[in-house]
Amino acid sequence: MAVVAFLAVAEFGALLLGGAGSPLVAVGSAVIDLAPPAAKDLMVGLFGTGDKAALFVLMAVVTAGISAGAGVLERRRPPFGALVFAVGGALSLAAVTTRSGSGTWDGLPSVLGVVAAIVVLRLLLRRLRRWEAAAAVPSASPRPAATERRTFLVWGAATAVAAVVVGGASRLGTSAMQAAATARRAIRLPQPATTATPVPAGASLDVSGITPYVTPNADFYRIDTALRVPSVDPAQWKLRIHGAVEREVELTWDELLALPLEEHMATLSCVSNEVGGDLIGNALWLGYPIRELLARAGVRDGADMVLSRSVDGFSAGTPLDVLQDPDTAAMLAVGMNGEPLPPEHGFPVRMVVPGLFGYVSATKWVNELEVTRFSDAQGYWTPRGWSERGPVKLESRIDTPRDGASLTAGKTVAVAGVAWQPHHGVKGVQVRVDDGEWQDATLADSASADTWRQWVWRWTPTAGSHRLQVRATGTDGQVQTSVERPPAPNGATGWHTVQVSAD
Ligand SMILES: Nc1nc2c(c(=O)[nH]1)N[C@H]1C(S)=C(S)[C@@H](COP(=O)(O)O)O[C@H]1N2
Ligand SMILES: [Mo]
């Protein structure tokens, strides 16, 4: 058994040795691309924004298991164990070379990795056989069994350590990542030509445990299919606008920054957000209106969608009318809360479209806008079981007290949270206890109808266990539905409910 475990570590390490870590990243990405929506939902649901780490752990366990199996197989029936690695290598090669933006040499690590794995496997098995022979028939070996065993274990440990060190070092970073990081630090964003409405003092309620009105960048949720954050050097960045246009437009980073930029505060949320979930955040964006760029290109009749693409192959299909609407601040954003976009939020340039879920609008690391039609093209998630269109739904959330909280009977507490329907805005929030009458909460101010609003309702619980529920009303009079729906295919609905007790 120790032998099996040993082979597992050594072989897994040998696979890692395959250079820039690309086999793992590519296979993981292929898994993400091929996975059914239910699987994606499950991973995001179970692990939230830690879904990528979980995927890697899962892959490591599966790889270790297969490697151990291959070791045993190679021992019993060579060369079938080696063949397992060859097949694994071929799959990895396929995953790497079919990723968008892959170059000619990107397959090399997979090939080298497999060769390394097979060499290590053979070497270790030879050592293992010598040990076994020495143990079975002492005279068959020039050295005693204990020495052979030690040699085998030392070889095993040495290859494992070497593999982990090489694999780890090669994952630390490539020159492209360094270039993008250096460029980001050097950037001084221009002053906006049009500044956002200042955040009113009344937008933030003084309630402990409530979500802050503006989400700090470090706390902003991150959702994307990129296992490795794409590193884009702004000096190399270009946006191409093409498709059903009068003239193709190309825009460089310097040209974009020289345009009159606008600032706008908007809440961004993910279609995968569960009722009560935290895949939503509010930020001050700095960027240039997409409608101006579309006007520059001259949209031809018949188009109804813009397919935006990112450097890593993700795409989103956004309704053309939303992007052209002069009252919607759909922008090509370069700044987030006064800083250049953080790498994981799309540096150097992303889209932000108030009122639409991220998967149909918020393309990060964007480099292409194709003017087209919904009947001719699809965004990344549409063939994977998500709706073609994704307007954000009217929702509200209780931030405090938390589900399961123990309160003191007779002591007044703040029941508080946020409510949103970006682009329309929320005009009322109500709370009820144990299916009683709906009670009006106090709404905080907001900087625009594109952001969420905080709300609070003071409550003095009686002894016992209680159920708190919240619902919001939109500025259009729509009342948040009680119908419970899952995130797929176009966003969860239902009332957020928390259970608390008081004594
Ligand atoms: N390139 C790229 N952009 C993307 C995605 C992606 O997978 N790749 N995911 C989208 C989704 S589903 C959401 S909800 C938002 C999330 O943006 P954030 O990570 O900055 O919060 O980005 C959108 N833009
Ligand atoms: Mo999303």
Side-chain angles (χ1 to χ4, degrees), residues 40 220-226 268-271 285 310 312 314 336 344-345 350 357-359 362-365 381:
K40 180 226 170 197
F220 209 95
Y221 80 97
R222 173 190 168 198
I223 289 288
D224 53 59
T225 59
L268 177 63
S269 79
C270 182
V271 67
W285 307 98
S310 94
D312 69 341
F314 173 86
M336 181 175 183
E344 61 276 20
H345 294 292
R350 75 173 304 168
F357 281 126
Y359 83 109
T363 306
K364 305 190 272 190
W365 315 289
W381 285 111

mmCIF file of all heavy atoms in Angstrom, residues 40 220-226 268-271 285 310 312 314 336 344-345 350 357-359 362-365 381, ligand 1:
data_model
loop_
_atom_site.group_PDB
_atom_site.id
_atom_site.type_symbol
_atom_site.label_atom_id
_atom_site.label_comp_id
_atom_site.label_asym_id
_atom_site.label_seq_id
_atom_site.Cartn_x
_atom_site.Cartn_y
_atom_site.Cartn_z
ATOM 1 N N LYS A 40 -22.046 23.177 -12.915
ATOM 2 C CA LYS A 40 -21.490 24.499 -12.620
ATOM 3 C C LYS A 40 -22.216 25.097 -11.414
ATOM 4 O O LYS A 40 -21.608 25.621 -10.494
ATOM 5 C CB LYS A 40 -21.658 25.413 -13.834
ATOM 6 C CG LYS A 40 -21.105 26.816 -13.612
ATOM 7 C CD LYS A 40 -22.070 27.878 -14.076
ATOM 8 C CE LYS A 40 -21.618 29.268 -13.641
ATOM 9 N NZ LYS A 40 -22.682 30.242 -13.716
ATOM 10 N N PHE A 220 -15.252 42.389 -3.551
ATOM 11 C CA PHE A 220 -16.197 42.237 -4.659
ATOM 12 C C PHE A 220 -16.182 40.789 -5.139
ATOM 13 O O PHE A 220 -15.113 40.219 -5.365
ATOM 14 C CB PHE A 220 -15.818 43.180 -5.801
ATOM 15 C CG PHE A 220 -16.993 43.612 -6.630
ATOM 16 C CD1 PHE A 220 -17.650 44.805 -6.373
ATOM 17 C CD2 PHE A 220 -17.457 42.816 -7.672
ATOM 18 C CE1 PHE A 220 -18.745 45.208 -7.134
ATOM 19 C CE2 PHE A 220 -18.549 43.204 -8.436
ATOM 20 C CZ PHE A 220 -19.196 44.405 -8.167
ATOM 21 N N TYR A 221 -17.363 40.191 -5.288
ATOM 22 C CA TYR A 221 -17.417 38.786 -5.717
ATOM 23 C C TYR A 221 -16.733 38.638 -7.069
ATOM 24 O O TYR A 221 -16.687 39.567 -7.870
ATOM 25 C CB TYR A 221 -18.878 38.304 -5.798
ATOM 26 C CG TYR A 221 -19.620 38.709 -7.062
ATOM 27 C CD1 TYR A 221 -19.730 37.836 -8.141
ATOM 28 C CD2 TYR A 221 -20.206 39.961 -7.181
ATOM 29 C CE1 TYR A 221 -20.397 38.197 -9.301
ATOM 30 C CE2 TYR A 221 -20.877 40.329 -8.336
ATOM 31 C CZ TYR A 221 -20.971 39.451 -9.395
ATOM 32 O OH TYR A 221 -21.620 39.809 -10.546
ATOM 33 N N ARG A 222 -16.190 37.457 -7.298
ATOM 34 C CA ARG A 222 -15.552 37.195 -8.591
ATOM 35 C C ARG A 222 -16.140 35.918 -9.175
ATOM 36 O O ARG A 222 -16.139 34.872 -8.529
ATOM 37 C CB ARG A 222 -14.050 37.014 -8.420
ATOM 38 C CG ARG A 222 -13.405 36.581 -9.730
ATOM 39 C CD ARG A 222 -11.955 36.144 -9.583
ATOM 40 N NE ARG A 222 -11.546 35.504 -10.827
ATOM 41 C CZ ARG A 222 -10.495 34.715 -10.946
ATOM 42 N NH1 ARG A 222 -9.726 34.465 -9.901
ATOM 43 N NH2 ARG A 222 -10.211 34.162 -12.107
ATOM 44 N N ILE A 223 -16.658 36.027 -10.386
ATOM 45 C CA ILE A 223 -17.151 34.842 -11.085
ATOM 46 C C ILE A 223 -16.670 34.901 -12.529
ATOM 47 O O ILE A 223 -16.871 35.886 -13.226
ATOM 48 C CB ILE A 223 -18.707 34.782 -11.082
ATOM 49 C CG1 ILE A 223 -19.249 34.457 -9.695
ATOM 50 C CG2 ILE A 223 -19.215 33.740 -12.085
ATOM 51 C CD1 ILE A 223 -19.048 33.039 -9.214
ATOM 52 N N ASP A 224 -15.979 33.844 -12.962
ATOM 53 C CA ASP A 224 -15.618 33.721 -14.373
ATOM 54 C C ASP A 224 -15.123 32.307 -14.622
ATOM 55 O O ASP A 224 -14.933 31.537 -13.696
ATOM 56 C CB ASP A 224 -14.563 34.755 -14.779
ATOM 57 C CG ASP A 224 -13.354 34.711 -13.882
ATOM 58 O OD1 ASP A 224 -12.722 33.654 -13.809
ATOM 59 O OD2 ASP A 224 -13.056 35.736 -13.221
ATOM 60 N N THR A 225 -14.921 32.009 -15.896
ATOM 61 C CA THR A 225 -14.495 30.665 -16.276
ATOM 62 C C THR A 225 -12.971 30.571 -16.374
ATOM 63 O O THR A 225 -12.448 29.553 -16.796
ATOM 64 C CB THR A 225 -15.084 30.303 -17.649
ATOM 65 O OG1 THR A 225 -14.620 31.271 -18.595
ATOM 66 C CG2 THR A 225 -16.599 30.319 -17.625
ATOM 67 N N ALA A 226 -12.270 31.641 -16.016
ATOM 68 C CA ALA A 226 -10.814 31.669 -16.189
ATOM 69 C C ALA A 226 -10.099 31.078 -14.984
ATOM 70 O O ALA A 226 -10.142 31.644 -13.895
ATOM 71 C CB ALA A 226 -10.344 33.105 -16.419
ATOM 72 N N LEU A 268 -23.614 45.235 -9.752
ATOM 73 C CA LEU A 268 -23.438 44.120 -10.684
ATOM 74 C C LEU A 268 -23.808 42.833 -9.954
ATOM 75 O O LEU A 268 -23.418 42.639 -8.807
ATOM 76 C CB LEU A 268 -21.970 44.076 -11.120
ATOM 77 C CG LEU A 268 -21.532 42.941 -12.043
ATOM 78 C CD1 LEU A 268 -22.268 43.029 -13.375
ATOM 79 C CD2 LEU A 268 -20.033 43.003 -12.274
ATOM 80 N N SER A 269 -24.600 41.987 -10.619
ATOM 81 C CA SER A 269 -24.898 40.738 -9.944
ATOM 82 C C SER A 269 -24.861 39.566 -10.902
ATOM 83 O O SER A 269 -24.957 39.714 -12.114
ATOM 84 C CB SER A 269 -26.227 40.806 -9.192
ATOM 85 O OG SER A 269 -27.298 40.642 -10.075
ATOM 86 N N CYS A 270 -24.657 38.398 -10.307
ATOM 87 C CA CYS A 270 -24.478 37.169 -11.069
ATOM 88 C C CYS A 270 -25.792 36.406 -11.112
ATOM 89 O O CYS A 270 -26.493 36.308 -10.102
ATOM 90 C CB CYS A 270 -23.400 36.309 -10.419
ATOM 91 S SG CYS A 270 -23.079 34.788 -11.334
ATOM 92 N N VAL A 271 -26.079 35.836 -12.263
ATOM 93 C CA VAL A 271 -27.304 35.058 -12.430
ATOM 94 C C VAL A 271 -27.304 33.843 -11.493
ATOM 95 O O VAL A 271 -28.362 33.332 -11.121
ATOM 96 C CB VAL A 271 -27.458 34.628 -13.915
ATOM 97 C CG1 VAL A 271 -26.374 33.642 -14.322
ATOM 98 C CG2 VAL A 271 -28.827 34.067 -14.196
ATOM 99 N N TRP A 285 -17.888 52.877 -11.286
ATOM 100 C CA TRP A 285 -17.161 52.499 -12.504
ATOM 101 C C TRP A 285 -16.754 53.744 -13.272
ATOM 102 O O TRP A 285 -17.494 54.723 -13.316
ATOM 103 C CB TRP A 285 -18.050 51.610 -13.393
ATOM 104 C CG TRP A 285 -18.610 50.431 -12.660
ATOM 105 C CD1 TRP A 285 -19.853 50.326 -12.104
ATOM 106 C CD2 TRP A 285 -17.952 49.193 -12.380
ATOM 107 N NE1 TRP A 285 -20.003 49.098 -11.500
ATOM 108 C CE2 TRP A 285 -18.858 48.391 -11.647
ATOM 109 C CE3 TRP A 285 -16.676 48.675 -12.668
ATOM 110 C CZ2 TRP A 285 -18.542 47.099 -11.209
ATOM 111 C CZ3 TRP A 285 -16.357 47.393 -12.233
ATOM 112 C CH2 TRP A 285 -17.287 46.627 -11.508
ATOM 113 N N SER A 310 -13.899 38.050 -24.849
ATOM 114 C CA SER A 310 -12.736 38.385 -24.035
ATOM 115 C C SER A 310 -11.537 37.611 -24.568
ATOM 116 O O SER A 310 -11.690 36.680 -25.363
ATOM 117 C CB SER A 310 -13.004 38.013 -22.581
ATOM 118 O OG SER A 310 -12.504 36.740 -22.307
ATOM 119 N N ASP A 312 -9.888 35.437 -23.303
ATOM 120 C CA ASP A 312 -9.820 34.023 -22.932
ATOM 121 C C ASP A 312 -10.954 33.196 -23.538
ATOM 122 O O ASP A 312 -11.158 32.052 -23.159
ATOM 123 C CB ASP A 312 -9.786 33.872 -21.413
ATOM 124 C CG ASP A 312 -11.106 34.263 -20.773
ATOM 125 O OD1 ASP A 312 -11.907 34.976 -21.426
ATOM 126 O OD2 ASP A 312 -11.346 33.852 -19.620
ATOM 127 N N PHE A 314 -14.279 33.723 -23.473
ATOM 128 C CA PHE A 314 -15.637 33.953 -22.957
ATOM 129 C C PHE A 314 -16.349 34.935 -23.886
ATOM 130 O O PHE A 314 -15.713 35.771 -24.529
ATOM 131 C CB PHE A 314 -15.555 34.521 -21.536
ATOM 132 C CG PHE A 314 -16.883 34.956 -20.974
ATOM 133 C CD1 PHE A 314 -17.709 34.048 -20.332
ATOM 134 C CD2 PHE A 314 -17.306 36.288 -21.087
ATOM 135 C CE1 PHE A 314 -18.936 34.456 -19.819
ATOM 136 C CE2 PHE A 314 -18.526 36.694 -20.572
ATOM 137 C CZ PHE A 314 -19.339 35.781 -19.932
ATOM 138 N N MET A 336 -12.444 51.032 -11.314
ATOM 139 C CA MET A 336 -13.384 50.456 -10.347
ATOM 140 C C MET A 336 -13.055 51.066 -8.986
ATOM 141 O O MET A 336 -11.936 50.865 -8.485
ATOM 142 C CB MET A 336 -13.206 48.931 -10.339
ATOM 143 C CG MET A 336 -14.117 48.162 -9.411
ATOM 144 S SD MET A 336 -13.835 46.384 -9.670
ATOM 145 C CE MET A 336 -15.048 45.685 -8.551
ATOM 146 N N GLU A 344 -8.373 40.467 -11.604
ATOM 147 C CA GLU A 344 -9.451 39.463 -11.624
ATOM 148 C C GLU A 344 -10.817 40.049 -11.971
ATOM 149 O O GLU A 344 -11.772 39.317 -12.187
ATOM 150 C CB GLU A 344 -9.503 38.677 -10.307
ATOM 151 C CG GLU A 344 -9.758 39.491 -9.074
ATOM 152 C CD GLU A 344 -8.499 40.123 -8.489
ATOM 153 O OE1 GLU A 344 -7.474 40.269 -9.183
ATOM 154 O OE2 GLU A 344 -8.550 40.485 -7.316
ATOM 155 N N HIS A 345 -10.896 41.384 -12.028
ATOM 156 C CA HIS A 345 -12.156 42.008 -12.443
ATOM 157 C C HIS A 345 -12.066 42.588 -13.850
ATOM 158 O O HIS A 345 -12.871 43.434 -14.232
ATOM 159 C CB HIS A 345 -12.607 43.050 -11.419
ATOM 160 C CG HIS A 345 -12.972 42.435 -10.091
ATOM 161 N ND1 HIS A 345 -14.074 41.619 -9.930
ATOM 162 C CD2 HIS A 345 -12.344 42.454 -8.888
ATOM 163 C CE1 HIS A 345 -14.124 41.188 -8.669
ATOM 164 N NE2 HIS A 345 -13.080 41.675 -8.026
ATOM 165 N N ARG A 350 -13.194 46.174 -19.244
ATOM 166 C CA ARG A 350 -14.340 45.270 -19.184
ATOM 167 C C ARG A 350 -15.607 46.030 -19.546
ATOM 168 O O ARG A 350 -15.595 47.240 -19.652
ATOM 169 C CB ARG A 350 -14.514 44.703 -17.774
ATOM 170 C CG ARG A 350 -15.111 45.743 -16.815
ATOM 171 C CD ARG A 350 -15.450 45.191 -15.453
ATOM 172 N NE ARG A 350 -16.353 44.057 -15.533
ATOM 173 C CZ ARG A 350 -16.615 43.254 -14.513
ATOM 174 N NH1 ARG A 350 -16.042 43.462 -13.345
ATOM 175 N NH2 ARG A 350 -17.456 42.252 -14.649
ATOM 176 N N PHE A 357 -27.671 40.853 -15.897
ATOM 177 C CA PHE A 357 -26.766 39.966 -15.186
ATOM 178 C C PHE A 357 -25.414 39.946 -15.901
ATOM 179 O O PHE A 357 -25.334 40.147 -17.136
ATOM 180 C CB PHE A 357 -27.325 38.543 -15.155
ATOM 181 C CG PHE A 357 -28.406 38.339 -14.121
ATOM 182 C CD1 PHE A 357 -29.640 37.815 -14.486
ATOM 183 C CD2 PHE A 357 -28.188 38.652 -12.783
ATOM 184 C CE1 PHE A 357 -30.644 37.605 -13.540
ATOM 185 C CE2 PHE A 357 -29.184 38.451 -11.827
ATOM 186 C CZ PHE A 357 -30.413 37.927 -12.210
ATOM 187 N N GLY A 358 -24.367 39.651 -15.132
ATOM 188 C CA GLY A 358 -23.006 39.671 -15.669
ATOM 189 C C GLY A 358 -22.804 38.758 -16.867
ATOM 190 O O GLY A 358 -22.080 39.110 -17.795
ATOM 191 N N TYR A 359 -23.456 37.595 -16.873
ATOM 192 C CA TYR A 359 -23.168 36.608 -17.940
ATOM 193 C C TYR A 359 -23.614 37.059 -19.320
ATOM 194 O O TYR A 359 -23.151 36.503 -20.315
ATOM 195 C CB TYR A 359 -23.764 35.240 -17.579
ATOM 196 C CG TYR A 359 -25.243 35.073 -17.905
ATOM 197 C CD1 TYR A 359 -25.656 34.238 -18.942
ATOM 198 C CD2 TYR A 359 -26.224 35.722 -17.167
ATOM 199 C CE1 TYR A 359 -27.002 34.070 -19.247
ATOM 200 C CE2 TYR A 359 -27.574 35.560 -17.462
ATOM 201 C CZ TYR A 359 -27.953 34.738 -18.502
ATOM 202 O OH TYR A 359 -29.280 34.575 -18.796
ATOM 203 N N ALA A 362 -21.251 41.622 -18.816
ATOM 204 C CA ALA A 362 -20.128 42.238 -18.102
ATOM 205 C C ALA A 362 -18.764 41.662 -18.487
ATOM 206 O O ALA A 362 -17.895 41.481 -17.631
ATOM 207 C CB ALA A 362 -20.359 42.098 -16.594
ATOM 208 N N THR A 363 -18.576 41.398 -19.765
ATOM 209 C CA THR A 363 -17.347 40.762 -20.250
ATOM 210 C C THR A 363 -16.067 41.435 -19.737
ATOM 211 O O THR A 363 -15.839 42.612 -19.978
ATOM 212 C CB THR A 363 -17.359 40.725 -21.793
ATOM 213 O OG1 THR A 363 -18.573 40.095 -22.190
ATOM 214 C CG2 THR A 363 -16.165 39.965 -22.337
ATOM 215 N N LYS A 364 -15.265 40.652 -19.040
ATOM 216 C CA LYS A 364 -13.986 41.134 -18.506
ATOM 217 C C LYS A 364 -12.896 40.830 -19.529
ATOM 218 O O LYS A 364 -13.052 39.953 -20.362
ATOM 219 C CB LYS A 364 -13.676 40.412 -17.184
ATOM 220 C CG LYS A 364 -14.796 40.554 -16.158
ATOM 221 C CD LYS A 364 -14.395 40.063 -14.781
ATOM 222 C CE LYS A 364 -14.640 38.587 -14.582
ATOM 223 N NZ LYS A 364 -14.472 38.184 -13.164
ATOM 224 N N TRP A 365 -11.798 41.562 -19.483
ATOM 225 C CA TRP A 365 -10.680 41.380 -20.429
ATOM 226 C C TRP A 365 -11.222 41.417 -21.861
ATOM 227 O O TRP A 365 -10.792 40.682 -22.732
ATOM 228 C CB TRP A 365 -9.950 40.051 -20.170
ATOM 229 C CG TRP A 365 -9.691 39.800 -18.725
ATOM 230 C CD1 TRP A 365 -8.792 40.460 -17.937
ATOM 231 C CD2 TRP A 365 -10.342 38.835 -17.860
ATOM 232 N NE1 TRP A 365 -8.850 39.975 -16.653
ATOM 233 C CE2 TRP A 365 -9.784 38.981 -16.574
ATOM 234 C CE3 TRP A 365 -11.328 37.880 -18.057
ATOM 235 C CZ2 TRP A 365 -10.195 38.202 -15.502
ATOM 236 C CZ3 TRP A 365 -11.737 37.103 -16.986
ATOM 237 C CH2 TRP A 365 -11.170 37.271 -15.731
ATOM 238 N N TRP A 381 -22.756 31.282 -22.254
ATOM 239 C CA TRP A 381 -23.617 30.479 -21.384
ATOM 240 C C TRP A 381 -24.920 30.011 -22.031
ATOM 241 O O TRP A 381 -25.594 29.130 -21.494
ATOM 242 C CB TRP A 381 -23.930 31.235 -20.073
ATOM 243 C CG TRP A 381 -22.746 31.231 -19.147
ATOM 244 C CD1 TRP A 381 -21.971 32.301 -18.797
ATOM 245 C CD2 TRP A 381 -22.176 30.097 -18.486
ATOM 246 N NE1 TRP A 381 -20.955 31.895 -17.962
ATOM 247 C CE2 TRP A 381 -21.060 30.556 -17.755
ATOM 248 C CE3 TRP A 381 -22.496 28.729 -18.442
ATOM 249 C CZ2 TRP A 381 -20.263 29.704 -16.995
ATOM 250 C CZ3 TRP A 381 -21.704 27.879 -17.680
ATOM 251 C CH2 TRP A 381 -20.603 28.369 -16.968
HETATM 252 N N1 LIG B 1 -14.006 37.100 -19.613
HETATM 253 C C1 LIG B 1 -15.030 36.815 -18.806
HETATM 254 N N2 LIG B 1 -15.864 37.801 -18.413
HETATM 255 C C2 LIG B 1 -16.899 37.534 -17.597
HETATM 256 C C3 LIG B 1 -17.144 36.217 -17.152
HETATM 257 C C4 LIG B 1 -16.265 35.190 -17.585
HETATM 258 O O1 LIG B 1 -16.419 34.016 -17.253
HETATM 259 N N3 LIG B 1 -15.215 35.534 -18.398
HETATM 260 N N4 LIG B 1 -18.202 35.976 -16.312
HETATM 261 C C5 LIG B 1 -19.288 36.935 -16.286
HETATM 262 C C6 LIG B 1 -20.159 36.730 -15.153
HETATM 263 S S1 LIG B 1 -21.103 35.305 -15.174
HETATM 264 C C7 LIG B 1 -20.284 37.644 -14.141
HETATM 265 S S2 LIG B 1 -21.472 37.474 -12.976
HETATM 266 C C8 LIG B 1 -19.405 38.821 -14.072
HETATM 267 C C9 LIG B 1 -18.717 38.903 -12.730
HETATM 268 O O2 LIG B 1 -17.836 39.980 -12.675
HETATM 269 P P1 LIG B 1 -16.880 40.125 -11.425
HETATM 270 O O3 LIG B 1 -16.077 38.868 -11.329
HETATM 271 O O4 LIG B 1 -16.049 41.333 -11.668
HETATM 272 O O5 LIG B 1 -17.754 40.276 -10.213
HETATM 273 O O6 LIG B 1 -18.392 38.778 -15.067
HETATM 274 C C10 LIG B 1 -18.832 38.372 -16.325
HETATM 275 N N5 LIG B 1 -17.719 38.547 -17.233
#
